[in-house]
Amino acid sequence: PNPFNPETSIDYGIPYYSNVDIKIYNSLGQLVHEVINQYHQAGIYSFIWTPKNISSGTYYVQLQSNDIIISKKIIYLK
């Protein structure tokens, strides 16, 4: 759900074996959390993000895999 509290599930798919880097940034573009940075086989994946020690607000989840970059906006409400 968006907005979320206290955690959110983020789903993503990888079309072929590649390194996957998923980071979460705040609205100022500052890195808040590096969630994943590892190689994945092709497939559908999911992770649960539970924010710790951050305030309510808008955040951006960025997935980078080879030459693909995808960003999604999420809203955290305490």
Side-chain angles (χ1 to χ4, degrees):
N2 199 10
F4 71 95
N5 180 5
E7 62 187 22
T8 187
S9 176
I10 299 172
D11 304 323
Y12 60 98
I14 304 299
Y16 47 84
Y17 181 78
S18 64
N19 187 55
V20 175
D21 189 15
I22 299 177
K23 297 178 181 173
I24 299 177
Y25 296 90
N26 64 18
S27 59
L28 299 175
Q30 298 166 323
L31 179 64
V32 172
H33 188 209
E34 183 171 30
V35 181
I36 296 170
N37 187 3
Q38 64 187 36
Y39 280 87
H40 284 46
Q41 296 290 337
I44 305 295
Y45 296 88
S46 180
F47 69 91
I48 294 176
W49 184 51
T50 305
K52 292 185 178 18
N53 301 319
I54 66 169
S55 60
S56 295
T58 302
Y59 293 87
Y60 297 89
V61 179
Q62 183 183 72
L63 180 146
Q64 183 170 359
S65 177
N66 292 342
D67 58 349
I68 299 168
I69 298 175
I70 299 170
S71 295
K72 297 291 181 182
K73 179 170 72 170
I74 57 175
I75 299 171
Y76 174 50
L77 293 178
K78 285 188 178 180

